[in-house]
Amino acid sequence: MNYTATPRNVQWQDLSNQHKNARERLKMSLEEFINGINVPPIAIVGPYGSGKSELMCWGLQEVWKEHKIPAFMVHLEKLLKEIPDNIDPSDFVDILEGIVGKQLSDLQELIDVDSEKAIPSKIYLPDMRSDDTLTSYFKEIYKDTFNLSDFKETLQSKKVVLFIDEMEQKYSELLQKVKVSDKAPLREVLESVEKRLTSYYLVMSFGLTSAYETISGADERRVQTIYISLPTPKNFASIVKNSPNAN
């Protein structure tokens, strides 16, 4: 059994009222962004194994399939490779805009050239296999509703959602790249996203312990925090009871 979070086969379950509330809050914020409402970026916070990446995969599939809006998902470690050293906070806003724009143009170019060509690993799509083509990958995301012509229209959208996973793993490196004195490298980005000065909306995940260090102070006031706890024994019992393999 594969326990890796993937938008190909989203395993998110509303195991408790808290889990249901987390998913509904994410859904509402994504819809508000798509509908043109000013909404703060999201920080999904929880301990290891609580389902943060799974919820992000649910959100990514929701955005592509239900709202016909492009979405990308990347670990902060990979994203940092495209961010120069010693940048101003305001420059970070534009750099992310450029990165998102390049992701879209690379997908558009792939469609124009050959939709059956393998997707380059530089594209921020989670759980990609070496032989994945644009058609094969997104057929699993869209299930039975994938249509290449509609997909082309989706890529023309002026709105994009960027999911950044495992922020805590390389947050210290982000601090080194962005010149700030208050340990809030995301300040300008978060403000710009909420004020709709960017084409992208931001959803990030943080480990529980590190969240108090990485999104405290100035940045904490600029995000919506969604907490996810580990499933309880009762939740696990429910999972086993409802499993198709249960006797």
Side-chain angles (χ1 to χ4, degrees):
M1 183 178 292
N2 181 15
Y3 287 97
T4 302
T6 171
R8 297 172 182 271
N9 183 26
V10 176
Q11 296 296 311
W12 175 265
Q13 296 182 47
D14 293 342
L15 299 175
S16 65
N17 287 336
Q18 185 201 45
H19 289 84
K20 180 181 179 181
N21 181 59
R23 179 184 57 79
E24 289 181 344
R25 285 187 63 194
L26 175 59
K27 179 181 176 69
M28 182 177 67
S29 294
L30 291 171
E31 289 177 347
E32 287 177 343
F33 165 72
I34 291 167
N35 291 329
I37 299 172
N38 289 20
V39 55
I42 287 177
I44 300 174
V45 176
Y48 178 80
S50 59
K52 300 185 298 295
S53 298
E54 193 67 57
L55 181 56
M56 294 180 87
C57 284
W58 178 89
L60 183 136
Q61 184 191 56
E62 179 83 359
V63 172
W64 277 108
K65 182 181 178 182
E66 303 301 330
H67 297 289
K68 305 299 185 291
I69 297 293
F72 300 99
M73 183 172 170
V74 62
H75 288 177
L76 178 59
E77 181 178 12
K78 184 174 182 178
L79 180 66
L80 284 174
K81 295 177 181 178
E82 298 192 53
I83 298 174
D85 294 329
N86 203 34
I87 61 172
D88 291 323
S90 58
D91 293 334
F92 193 17
V93 178
D94 296 332
I95 289 168
L96 281 181
E97 190 75 65
I99 289 172
V100 168
K102 185 66 165 59
Q103 290 286 309
L104 278 173
S105 64
D106 285 345
L107 277 184
Q108 291 167 345
E109 181 180 349
L110 192 60
I111 288 182
D112 294 338
V113 174
D114 184 0
S115 62
E116 296 303 322
K117 183 179 179 181
I119 302 175
S121 60
K122 62 183 178 180
I123 302 296
Y124 295 165
L125 295 172
D127 192 28
M128 274 203 310
R129 301 160 189 157
S130 59
D131 61 344
D132 267 327
T133 66
L134 189 147
T135 301
S136 68
Y137 183 87
F138 280 97
K139 274 187 175 180
E140 291 195 63
I141 304 297
Y142 281 74
K143 305 306 179 187
D144 297 330
T145 63
F146 180 76
N147 179 285
L148 191 58
S149 178
D150 292 342
F151 186 80
K152 290 180 180 179
E153 289 189 23
T154 294
L155 294 183
Q156 301 302 314
S157 172
K158 302 300 182 183
K159 302 170 185 173
V160 184
V161 179
L162 178 61
F163 295 85
I164 307 179
D165 203 5
E166 298 187 355
M167 289 287 293
E168 73 282 359
Q169 297 291 335
K170 294 293 180 178
Y171 200 81
S172 60
E173 290 188 21
L174 179 61
L175 277 169
Q176 294 173 8
K177 284 179 174 286
V178 184
K179 297 185 296 184
V180 291
S181 58
D182 57 0
K183 294 187 177 182
L186 295 169
R187 181 182 62 244
E188 296 287 342
V189 170
L190 300 179
E191 286 186 353
S192 296
V193 169
E194 181 176 8
K195 294 177 180 177
R196 304 193 69 87
L197 301 177
T198 64
S199 67
Y200 57 88
Y201 184 62
L202 200 58
V203 180
M204 306 162 288
S205 77
F206 295 83
L208 182 59
T209 303
S210 63
Y212 295 106
E213 301 174 358
T214 55
I215 55 172
S216 60
D219 282 351
E220 184 180 21
R221 298 190 296 270
R222 300 181 177 95
V223 297
Q224 300 180 77
T225 303
I226 296 176
Y227 290 99
I228 304 177
S229 61
L230 286 169
T232 64
K234 183 177 180 181
N235 297 148
F236 280 120
S238 176
I239 294 173
V240 172
K241 180 179 179 180
N242 294 321
S243 170
N245 296 322
N247 293 326

